Amino acid sequence: MDYAAVEEGDPSLDTANRHMLLMLGALIPYFLGMFMRGGQGGPQGWPALGVLLLDGAGLLLLAAGGWYGGHLVFHHGVGVEARGAEPLRAASGRTTV
């Protein structure tokens, strides 16, 4: 959870917020699509189109959130250790790479 390590006022904070909101927002269309699928037979007709549209919306949100995640790493350096630095330690004490 590198989000907790981003300090207030850091330029990467806005990007981190967008990344988090997009990734969490991607859950909504997939969650709704799960209920639209119904039972074992699956949806027929217009509900099937609705499920496909929800899956597409979830995919777009995941892609946008992934882009922001890559921007955090490659542009802002969030979660990247400096050369020669000690590896990051998680709260559990395990080394994270």
Side-chain angles (χ1 to χ4, degrees):
M1 296 294 289
D2 294 319
Y3 183 79
V6 177
E7 296 178 8
E8 191 70 33
D10 192 313
S12 65
L13 188 60
D14 287 338
T15 305
N17 285 333
R18 287 186 189 114
H19 169 68
M20 178 183 62
L21 290 173
L22 284 167
M23 297 308 261
L24 290 174
L27 290 173
I28 295 168
Y30 287 123
F31 187 74
L32 293 173
M34 180 180 69
F35 286 106
M36 281 185 71
R37 289 178 198 278
Q40 294 177 339
Q44 302 293 325
W46 288 106
L49 179 62
V51 169
L52 287 174
L53 291 174
L54 285 170
D55 286 347
L59 177 65
L60 290 175
L61 288 169
L62 282 176
W67 185 87
Y68 276 108
H71 191 69
L72 280 170
V73 171
F74 294 109
H75 182 73
H76 294 290
V78 173
V80 177
E81 66 181 65
R83 289 182 182 235
E86 288 289 318
L88 298 173
R89 299 260 178 218
S92 64
R94 296 187 340 219
T95 302
T96 60
V97 178

